[in-house]
Amino acid sequence: MDTILSWLFSSEEQELYILNCMAYLMNFMAAFTFVSLFFHKVPYGRYASSKYGFPVNVKFAWFVQELPSLLLPLCLVFWTSSSKTSLLPNQLLIAMFLCHYVQRALIFPFLIRGGKATPFLSFALAFVFCIYNGYMQVRYLSHYAEYPADWVTSPRFITGSALWLVGWLMNLHSDHILRNLRKPGETGYKIPRGGMFEYVSGANFLGEITEWAGFALAGHSAHSSAFSIFTAVVLANRAVAHHK
């Protein structure tokens, strides 16, 4: 892995510059996506359409598209000279990221009941995004991010970590409710009840938005902030569409 990175980048300074540019580009993508979603819904799930490519089995799509956000970070942590992974703040932030994607790539897809096939374009874009974001987040944390010695006891880290945990648990619980909406043999959509669904229409989306907002607060970097903003733009739009 180090050989590949040294071939791609002439120096650590150049790689860090590219990582920073990737964060700024993600903010630009968030702004572009925000505007485009006024005219088009994100085409997967109930909004899937054949005009975005041939259908891909929903379990296969979720498993494959999310896997790079797990495998690539693991490679970066264990198969490169990741000089910052011995530091506690970096370890905890990487653990937050990996914890989400262990569940999202290895558990969530195999619990899906039914579900519409995913158009190929949506599947392909999600796959590319997970490579992009997985590299950006974990390469920065494992090799470049520097935090004060007392960072894990700072109000910013504690508050961010608590938000991440609340969001993660909210997302898990909401997904559980959604999976169990229909009795065996039933089809169609139902309005979910229970948990945070008593307060918002898209509790699963709110959970993930909260999760990555907490991660951004705890990580305090352009990279984590860009991911949080992009997530909020896409999922808030989807939540509004579901509510309507």
Side-chain angles (χ1 to χ4, degrees):
M1 198 73 180
D2 275 328
T3 303
I4 295 172
L5 292 173
S6 63
W7 177 74
L8 290 172
F9 308 106
S10 59
S11 65
E12 291 189 347
E13 290 76 15
Q14 185 191 44
E15 184 181 22
L16 181 58
Y17 173 77
I18 295 297
L19 286 168
N20 292 336
C21 289
M22 290 174 71
Y24 303 141
L25 178 59
M26 186 174 285
N27 283 321
F28 173 80
M29 288 192 297
F32 175 81
T33 301
F34 177 79
V35 174
S36 66
L37 287 178
F38 282 109
F39 307 99
H40 303 281
K41 296 181 178 69
V42 180
Y44 70 90
R46 68 181 67 181
Y47 311 114
S49 170
S50 59
K51 70 179 182 180
Y52 294 104
F54 61 85
V56 181
N57 177 273
V58 64
K59 291 186 177 183
F60 177 84
W62 273 106
F63 171 67
V64 173
Q65 74 190 30
E66 302 293 311
L67 202 57
S69 283
L70 177 62
L71 294 185
L72 182 56
L74 288 174
C75 291
L76 291 170
V77 169
F78 294 110
W79 293 349
T80 67
S81 53
S82 42
S83 58
K84 305 298 182 184
T85 51
S86 61
L87 305 176
L88 184 59
N90 304 58
Q91 291 174 344
L92 292 174
L93 288 162
I94 292 170
M96 290 179 198
F97 189 85
L98 292 177
C99 184
H100 175 88
Y101 281 104
V102 165
Q103 197 279 333
R104 187 58 71 185
L106 302 183
I107 299 173
F108 173 79
F110 303 101
L111 295 177
I112 294 173
R113 297 178 180 178
K116 287 186 176 180
T118 301
F120 179 77
L121 181 60
S122 296
F123 162 69
L125 289 175
F127 181 79
V128 171
F129 178 84
C130 285
I131 294 173
Y132 184 104
N133 190 56
Y135 166 73
M136 181 178 74
Q137 300 299 333
V138 175
R139 182 59 175 171
Y140 176 73
L141 288 171
S142 67
H143 201 71
Y144 295 103
E146 295 186 12
Y147 298 98
D150 61 348
W151 183 252
V152 294
T153 58
S154 68
R156 178 175 286 157
F157 185 85
I158 292 171
T159 304
S161 298
L163 276 175
W164 177 86
L165 181 60
V166 168
W168 186 67
L169 292 173
M170 189 193 311
N171 187 243
L172 291 183
H173 184 243
S174 300
D175 280 346
H176 171 75
I177 291 173
L178 291 172
R179 277 195 301 271
N180 291 280
L181 275 181
R182 292 183 290 272
K183 296 176 182 178
E186 286 186 328
T187 59
Y189 291 104
K190 288 187 175 182
I191 295 175
R193 303 292 184 189
M196 285 300 294
F197 283 111
E198 296 298 317
Y199 306 97
V200 294
S201 302
N204 51 327
F205 303 132
L206 177 62
E208 192 159 348
I209 290 170
T210 303
E211 186 181 348
W212 295 122
F215 179 75
L217 182 60
H220 190 54
S221 70
H223 314 82
S224 57
S225 297
F227 182 32
S228 175
I229 292 168
F230 187 88
T231 299
V233 165
V234 173
L235 295 186
N237 175 274
R238 196 163 179 83
V240 169
H242 275 28
H243 182 79
K244 289 180 179 178

